[in-house]
């Protein structure tokens, strides 16, 4: 995700057995060691939704992370969480008209 020449953040994901697996989600220099600020949340949320759209367009029925939830970012968006990752049905993020 860019604003002009400035990179605001990026997401890395893979599709595994009809699941979109988010491997990494970043916003600028944000490193998940503190609660994200408003701008960081905006970038992370936008990237999450873009990744979910990619997964939906490629037949995924659920979303998982390859890392634990940080500061309830995913839980606040309707994901279930455990100590290892966050997970939800695709319909939590991608709404059908």
């Amino acid at each position: 995700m860019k604003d002009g020449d400035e990179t605001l953040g990026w997401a890395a994901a893979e599709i595994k057995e009809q699941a979109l697996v988010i491997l990494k989600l970043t916003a600028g220099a944000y490193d998940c060691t503190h609660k994200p600020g408003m701008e960081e949340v905006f970038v992370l949320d936008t990237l999450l939704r873009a990744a979910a759209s990619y997964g939906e367009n490629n037949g995924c029925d659920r979303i998982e992370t390859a890392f634990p939830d940080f500061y309830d970012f995913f839980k606040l968006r309707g994901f279930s969480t455990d100590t290892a990752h966050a997970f939800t049905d695709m319909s939590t993020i991608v709404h059908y008209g």
Side-chain angles (χ1 to χ4, degrees):
M1 179 175 178
K2 293 185 107 176
D3 182 11
D5 290 335
E6 180 186 2
T7 299
L8 301 178
W10 56 272
E14 68 180 357
I15 295 174
K16 187 176 183 181
E17 299 175 10
Q18 291 188 285
L20 174 76
V21 181
I22 299 173
L23 304 171
K24 181 83 172 172
L25 199 59
T26 68
Y30 181 68
D31 61 5
C32 302
T33 60
H34 62 277
K35 186 175 180 177
M38 286 181 16
E39 186 173 322
E40 293 162 333
V41 167
F42 172 77
V43 171
L44 294 168
D45 191 59
T46 300
L47 292 168
L48 168 62
R49 292 175 187 285
S53 180
Y54 171 77
E56 171 67 19
N57 289 335
N58 286 280
C60 295
D61 60 8
R62 62 193 183 282
I63 306 170
E64 304 173 3
T65 64
F67 49 87
D69 194 6
F70 50 90
Y71 298 94
D72 291 334
F73 175 80
F74 293 96
K75 187 174 183 180
L76 291 170
R77 282 149 188 82
F79 284 65
S80 297
T81 63
D82 60 24
T83 58
H85 72 309
F87 49 95
T88 192
D89 291 333
M90 186 62 70
S91 62
T92 301
I93 301 297
V94 179
H95 302 282
Y96 308 98

